[in-house]
Amino acid sequence: METRDSLRTLARSRPFVALWSSMFVSTIGTGLLLVALSVAYYQRSGEALAAGLVFAAQFLPLIVLMPIATRLCDRLPTRTLMVRLDLVSVVASLGIGVAFGAAFLPVFLLLVARGFLEMTTKSARGVAIKTYLPDELVERGNTLLNSAYFLGSTAGGLVGGMVIGRVPVVVVAALASVGFAVSAACCRALPPAPAPGSGAGVASGVWRRSLGVLRRDTELTRAFSYLVATVVLFQGVNQIARVWLPLTWLGTPASGAAWLEAVSVSGIVAGMVLVMVGLPARWRLPTRLLFALTAGLMLVPFATHRTVPAFASYFVYTMVFEIVYLVAFGVVLARTDQGDLPAVMVLFYGVAFSGMTVTVIAVGALTDRYGLPAVLLAVATVALATVVGTERRARRAADRAAVVAPPDIPQGARPS
C-alpha cells in the first residue's frame, strides 16, 4: 500500500485515532509527572541520586512483574485492560502528589506501581495495533503510534520543567491524572475485541512462552535482539548525553540542554518519517549494518567542541537509532502471532527498559570518573559485539534448521 493511501486510511481509522490520542495524552501525563518530580527532589535534597531514583523506580522492578502483565494482556480484552490501567494511573498519580509532602518511600512505591501500569499499557497498545489494523498497515501504524509517544513525552517534560516550583507537586500530579483520565476516554472509544490469549498460553510462564516463540523463528529472534539492544544501549546513552554533551563537553548555558532535547526529538521524528515514507531500495541497509552505524555515529558529536556540528551530528545519531528501533519493532509485530504477542511485548518492555535503567546508572557513574567519550568507546564496543553475537546465533539457528529439514533431492539424483 502506498504511503499516502496508508496514511489516509490510518487517519480515517477510528481505532487508530483513538490509540494515537490515548498514547499522546497519557504520555504527556507521564512526562509531566516524572520530570517535575525529579526536579523537585533534586531541588529539595541537592542529590542527583534522589532525582535518578524517580526514573529507576519506573523500570528496575518490571522484570519481576512481567508474568502478571502478560496474564493481564492475555485474559482481558485489550480495550477493557487499557481503560482500567489508565483509571488506576489516575489514582496512583494523585497518591504521589499527596505523598510527596511526607516521606520518599511511599512516593517510590507508587512510582513502582506507575511503572508497572506504564509497561502493561504499552504492551497492550502493541497488541491493540495488531488487533485493530489489517496486516498491511501494522508496521506503518506502529511507526506512527510511536510519534505520539515522543511528542507526548517532549510536551509533558517541557511543561513539567516549567511549572515545577511555581505550583505545588500535588497540582502537577492532578494535571498528570487528567491526562490519564482523557486517555481512558480515548480507549473507551475502541470497538470491543476478545482477549487475545489462549488458555495454553496463559498457563505457561512468560519467559518460557515468549522464548519459545523466539526460538521458532530466527528472523524474529534477530529483530527482537536488535530491538532490545537499541533501547538498552542507545536510548540509555541518550539519557546521559543529552545533558552531559551540552553542559560539560560544549560548555553551553543551561538552555543548551533544552536545545539538544529539541534536536534529539527532531532526529527521532525524522527517523519516523523516513521509515513511514520508505527509502529507495538502493539506500536500504540490513538492520545489523544500521545498528553498527549507530554505534559509530554515537561517537561523532564528541569529535568537536563546536556547538552546531556537534548538535547536527547528534541529530543524525538519534535519527538512525530511531530507524533501527522502528524497523526491528515492525518485524517483531509482523512475525509474531496474535496469541503470542502479549508475552513477547511484555518481555520486550520488561527486559529493554530494565536494561536501559542499568545502562543509565552505569554510564552516569563511569562518566563522572572517566568522561563520556571514553565510556562511549566501551558502549560502542559492546554494540559491535552484540552484532557479532546476534548474527552468529542466527547463522547457527539457520544451519540447525537446514539439517532438520534438508532440501529435497530430485528422484534419481545422488548427492555428491
Side-chain angles (χ1 to χ4, degrees):
M1 183 179 292
E2 294 295 327
T3 301
R4 186 177 301 176
D5 292 340
S6 61
L7 292 177
R8 188 181 297 116
T9 302
L10 288 171
R12 293 174 179 173
S13 169
R14 178 182 170 186
F16 181 78
V17 171
L19 284 170
W20 195 98
S21 303
S22 167
M23 172 81 91
F24 179 65
V25 294
S26 70
T27 308
I28 288 178
T30 299
L32 171 64
L33 185 63
L34 294 182
V35 170
L37 275 176
S38 63
V39 172
Y41 275 117
Y42 185 76
Q43 290 175 338
R44 174 191 281 185
S45 66
E47 296 178 355
L49 179 60
L53 285 175
V54 170
F55 294 96
Q58 295 281 294
F59 303 121
L60 281 178
L62 297 185
I63 200 165
V64 179
L65 302 175
M66 283 194 302
I68 300 174
T70 303
R71 287 175 180 272
L72 290 173
C73 290
D74 262 324
R75 292 181 171 179
L76 290 177
T78 304
R79 181 183 72 167
T80 302
L81 176 59
M82 289 192 293
V83 170
R84 292 181 182 178
L85 290 170
D86 279 328
L87 293 178
V88 177
S89 289
V90 171
V91 177
S93 178
L94 293 173
I96 289 170
V98 172
F100 177 79
F104 181 69
L105 180 59
V107 175
F108 182 83
L109 294 176
L110 285 168
L111 284 170
V112 171
R114 268 288 307 132
F116 170 74
L117 295 169
E118 186 79 7
M119 177 191 70
T120 310
T121 302
K122 286 179 179 177
S123 302
R125 287 196 184 104
V127 175
I129 279 288
K130 192 150 184 174
T131 299
Y132 291 110
L133 295 182
D135 290 343
E136 65 271 15
L137 288 177
V138 166
E139 291 188 39
R140 192 152 284 162
N142 180 67
T143 299
L144 194 56
L145 185 64
N146 273 274
S147 69
Y149 174 80
F150 289 107
L151 292 173
S153 294
T154 303
L158 290 174
V159 173
M162 290 167 54
V163 302
I164 194 62
R166 301 184 181 184
V167 299
V169 171
V170 68
V171 175
V172 175
L175 291 173
S177 70
V178 171
F180 302 131
V182 174
S183 175
C186 293
C187 293
R188 191 70 182 81
L190 291 167
S198 63
V202 173
S204 302
V206 61
W207 281 100
R208 185 175 14 161
R209 177 180 170 193
S210 51
L211 292 177
V213 172
L214 294 174
R215 289 192 191 100
R216 293 196 298 267
D217 189 331
T218 301
E219 288 303 314
L220 175 59
T221 303
R222 176 189 274 130
F224 187 88
S225 298
Y226 286 125
L227 182 61
V228 170
T230 298
V231 174
V232 171
L233 298 178
F234 302 140
Q235 195 166 336
V237 162
N238 184 49
Q239 306 302 317
I240 303 297
R242 62 187 182 184
V243 175
W244 199 91
L245 173 63
L247 302 186
T248 302
W249 182 257
L250 299 175
T252 67
S255 60
W259 282 111
L260 185 59
E261 181 69 16
V263 168
S264 174
V265 172
S266 299
I268 288 168
V269 172
M272 290 179 187
V273 171
L274 287 175
V275 171
M276 285 188 0
V277 172
L279 290 170
R282 64 180 180 276
W283 291 357
R284 295 175 192 167
L285 294 175
T287 306
R288 63 182 181 275
L289 295 183
L290 280 173
F291 189 90
L293 176 63
T294 307
L297 290 171
M298 180 173 59
L299 303 170
V300 175
F302 299 92
T304 177
H305 285 279
R306 296 167 58 198
T307 301
V308 172
F311 276 27
S313 55
Y314 202 83
F315 171 90
V316 177
Y317 162 65
T318 56
M319 180 182 69
V320 177
F321 97 57
E322 180 65 13
I323 292 173
V324 176
Y325 175 85
L326 291 175
V327 168
F329 208 144
V331 174
V332 170
L333 285 177
R335 298 187 72 93
T336 305
D337 293 337
Q338 183 70 37
D340 294 320
L341 198 56
V344 173
M345 285 291 96
V346 171
L347 181 70
F348 161 63
Y349 284 114
V351 173
F353 284 92
S354 296
M356 184 186 73
T357 305
V358 173
T359 298
V360 170
I361 294 172
V363 170
L366 292 171
T367 297
D368 288 339
R369 184 166 185 176
Y370 302 107
L372 189 55
V375 176
L376 291 187
L377 283 173
V379 175
T381 302
V382 173
L384 295 177
T386 300
V387 174
V388 173
T390 299
E391 295 304 316
R392 185 173 295 172
R393 285 195 303 272
R395 283 195 298 271
R396 283 202 299 262
D399 291 342
R400 285 195 299 269
V403 170
V404 172
D408 293 334
I409 299 174
Q411 188 173 5
R414 187 173 59 184
S416 55

